[in-house]
Structure formats: structure tokens, C-alpha cells
Amino acid sequence: MELLPTVWFVAIAVLWTGYLFLEGFDLGVGMLMKLFARNNTERRVLLNTVGPVWDGNEVWLLTAAGATFAAFPLWYAALFSALYLPLLIVLVALIFRAVAFEYRGKVDNARWRTVWDWAIAVGSFTASFGIGAALALTTTGLPLDSNGDRQGGAFAWFSGYAVLGGLAVAAFALVHALAFLALKTDGDVRHRARRWFVRLAPVALLPLLAWAVAVQLLSGKPWTWLLVILAVVAAAVAWVLARKGAEGKAFGALGAFLVCATGSIFGAAFPVVIPSTLDPAFNLTVSNASSSAYTLGLMSIVAAVGLPLVIAYQAWTYWVFRRRVSAAHIPAAHGFLPAIAAKVLVGNNESSGGTAANHARHNASE
């Protein structure tokens, strides 16, 4: 097995794990806008916990997809063409979600806010489910022929594994968000988030574990089975720590659960990047799907310089916005007047004032 393709397979697995960890909790927070928050103030608390970081977290998705495109173009081509329809839906969901974050607070109106709250919640669920389905299919198989093309209709990709992967990521994002809110908020939101986490975690983490076990049954290795066991231990530790109120440690243990679970999945799939459900001879592997050694070498140099800078910057961002958020920090809601409208209004007022002054001068002269 060549070194550089293996290194970049590991790098892409790390990027996807980083994305699921960072974007996982803010996708979950988006879903909790309608499932958890009781009023507008609590929804604004939830938004303020992820407000400074959610768009930075999405960079990991772009980086993972971009690295796949550059390092394994055949993997990228087969995956994105086979899953064109569901990935398009994911893209639309992410767009609606991003727009909703920006537009929600522009008008102080309950109906306006409700529309954008649903856009955030539905967009977050759709994105998490779609990404989970895509990752599950890249580790369990797609109907690819010898040319790497999908066989069948637009829904040939749909399978039980796709549903399992979608549920796994969506459910993990939900409990990950609860652990994050218990760590990042204060007051009633904090305590309810911890209680919800303790209640839901034993059930919500099962789909991700089931996905990991399914991949082990297909192509597991002894060390990847060990990672599955460690994932179960980490989940149990996170639950115990959350019950004790050790929110930071519980959040860290949940992160360890994710790392072990995704490590077992990608490790078991290696060296295959997409199995073919038609014939194992059509499998795409790190060898036959990778770019040239020159391309991978150049990418390694760029990544060695750029990745530490990105991680350092993002770590600094989280450090700056590390303090807890509570309802006491949320100012009263108010309307927003766009700059161009404000300029027009000022101009009209000045015009009205000038006219009034002229009338006054005219009356005085009479």
C-alpha cells in the first residue's frame, strides 16, 4: 500500500470526524430551536451559543469535500454523482439554514421569527441526515459498475444503510447539542439540557453504534472492533459524568465516543473508499481512486502549513467566546431598519423639516 494515499485517507477521515464534532453540536442546536426552546428568549440563547462559530464549523465540510476531490478524484466523482439528488437537498438545507441565521432577527415579529425558526430546525435536520446517509453509503456500498458509474435510477442509492447513517448523525447531533448547551449556557436552559442529555443519550447514540457494528460485520479488523468497545465505554462515561454535573468532562467523553466510532468505521472500510454492491472487483480503493504522487505530495506540503493555522485560529475563536450564555445576557427584541431605508427616512425627514421651515418663514413675513 502506497504511503501518501494512505495518509490522505486518514486525513479525510480526520476531517470528517472534525466536521461531525464541530458542526454536529450546532446542527443539533438548530434542531433544538423547535424541540427544546420554550420561548423567543431561549431560542436567542441557543443562537448566541453557536452564533460566533457555526459558519467556521461549516468550513470543515468544505475542506473534507475539497480534500476528497483533490486527493481521490474518482472517490469524489463516484460519490457525488451517485448521490447527486440527496446532496443537492443537503446543499439547499444548508443555504436555508444559513439565511435563517441572518434573517431571523431582522424583524421583531412573531410570525417572521417562526418561519425562520422552522427553516433552521428543518434545515439542520435535513443536512445532518443527508450527510450521515452519504457517509454511511461510502462505507457500506453503492451500485457502482467497473467505470465507477452508478447503476439504477435516481434512488438506487436508497437503502437501510442510508437511513441508519442519517439517523446516526442526526441523533448524535441532537445529544451532542444538549451536552454543548449544558456546557455553554447557564440557568434553566443549562439544567434542562443536562437532564435531556441523560434521558436521551442511551437511545440516541445507538444508531451510530449500530452503523459502526454493521461496518465491522462487513469488513472489520481486530483493532477496529476494539475501537467500537472503547466507543461504548466513552458513551457510558459521558452519561455518568453528565449525571454528576461534570459538563465539560461529559462533553469531552462524548467527543471521545465520536472519535472511536468514526475511527472504527473508516478503519474497517480501509483500503476501500466505496465498495461496489454489484461486484467487489468494482470497489474503489485508496490505490485506484487516488491522484498522482506529485499531486498528493504538493497537497501534503500545503496542508502541513495551512491546517495548523486554521486549527489555531478556530481554537482562538472558541477561547474568546468561551463564557456561558444565559437569558440575562439577551437584550430586548427590537426591529431592524436596513441602512438604505434609514437613509431614505432621514432624507425625507430633512426634506419635511426644510419645507416646514419655509412655511414658518413665509408666515412670519406675512
Side-chain angles (χ1 to χ4, degrees):
M1 192 67 61
E2 297 180 12
L3 177 61
L4 283 178
T6 301
V7 168
W8 273 99
F9 178 86
V10 174
I12 290 170
V14 170
L15 288 171
W16 278 115
T17 303
Y19 173 74
L20 293 177
F21 180 79
L22 294 173
E23 182 82 339
F25 64 74
D26 70 50
L27 287 171
V29 167
M31 287 185 272
L32 292 174
M33 290 283 287
K34 299 303 293 184
L35 296 174
F36 176 82
R38 293 173 172 173
N39 51 51
N40 182 47
T41 299
E42 289 192 354
R43 292 186 182 97
R44 292 176 67 191
V45 169
L46 266 60
L47 287 176
N48 275 269
T49 61
V50 298
V53 297
W54 69 268
D55 46 355
N57 293 341
E58 286 191 352
V59 171
W60 286 75
L61 174 61
L62 300 176
T63 306
T68 304
F69 170 76
F72 299 97
L74 295 182
W75 180 5
Y76 179 93
L79 182 65
F80 279 70
S81 60
L83 302 181
Y84 183 87
L85 181 60
L87 290 178
L88 177 63
I89 295 172
V90 167
L91 179 60
V92 172
L94 289 172
I95 291 172
F96 268 93
R97 180 173 175 270
V99 171
F101 273 122
E102 301 296 334
Y103 275 35
R104 182 188 185 277
K106 302 304 184 186
V107 177
D108 185 17
N109 178 276
R111 180 176 294 180
W112 172 272
R113 286 192 296 265
T114 298
V115 170
W116 295 115
D117 287 343
W118 276 111
I120 293 172
V122 175
S124 297
F125 172 77
T126 303
S128 60
F129 188 93
I131 290 169
L135 289 176
L137 290 171
T138 200
T139 56
T140 57
L142 285 166
L144 303 179
D145 61 17
S146 59
N147 207 32
D149 297 326
R150 183 200 68 208
Q151 296 299 300
F155 294 93
W157 53 271
F158 187 80
S159 67
Y161 288 126
V163 175
L164 177 61
L167 290 176
V169 173
F172 172 79
L174 200 63
V175 294
H176 193 33
L178 291 170
F180 175 75
L181 290 176
L183 176 65
K184 195 69 175 64
T185 63
D186 211 348
D188 186 53
V189 172
R190 172 187 180 182
H191 301 308
R192 281 194 292 120
R194 188 171 68 241
R195 289 198 300 269
W196 274 45
F197 175 84
V198 172
R199 293 171 185 169
L200 295 180
V203 175
L205 297 180
L206 287 178
L208 185 51
L209 284 173
W211 173 17
V213 170
V215 177
Q216 305 311 308
L217 294 175
L218 291 173
S219 55
K221 307 169 181 69
W223 67 271
T224 58
W225 275 107
L226 176 61
L227 285 178
V228 174
I229 296 171
L230 292 176
V232 174
V233 173
V237 170
W239 185 80
V240 171
L241 290 171
R243 286 198 66 186
K244 293 181 177 179
E247 293 140 346
K249 294 178 180 178
F251 186 75
L254 192 62
F257 161 80
L258 176 68
V259 170
C260 291
T262 55
S264 71
I265 291 169
F266 281 102
F270 180 83
V272 177
V273 294
I274 301 182
S276 172
T277 57
L278 301 180
D279 189 336
F282 302 156
N283 289 350
L284 292 178
T285 68
V286 294
S287 297
N288 63 23
S290 66
S291 295
S292 67
Y294 176 81
T295 300
L296 295 178
L298 185 60
M299 288 175 60
S300 300
I301 295 172
V302 174
V305 175
L307 191 58
L309 294 176
V310 172
I311 293 174
Y313 170 75
Q314 197 156 22
W316 176 79
T317 303
Y318 277 94
W319 175 256
V320 169
F321 296 101
R322 67 188 181 278
R323 300 193 182 279
R324 291 181 181 270
V325 181
S326 70
H329 298 138
I330 305 300
H334 59 279
F336 172 81
L337 191 63
I340 188 170
K343 185 176 181 180
V344 170
L345 182 60
V346 170
N348 290 339
N349 288 340
E350 289 177 350
S351 176
S352 299
T355 303
N358 290 336
H359 281 305
R361 282 194 297 270
H362 177 71
N363 291 337
S365 65
E366 290 180 346

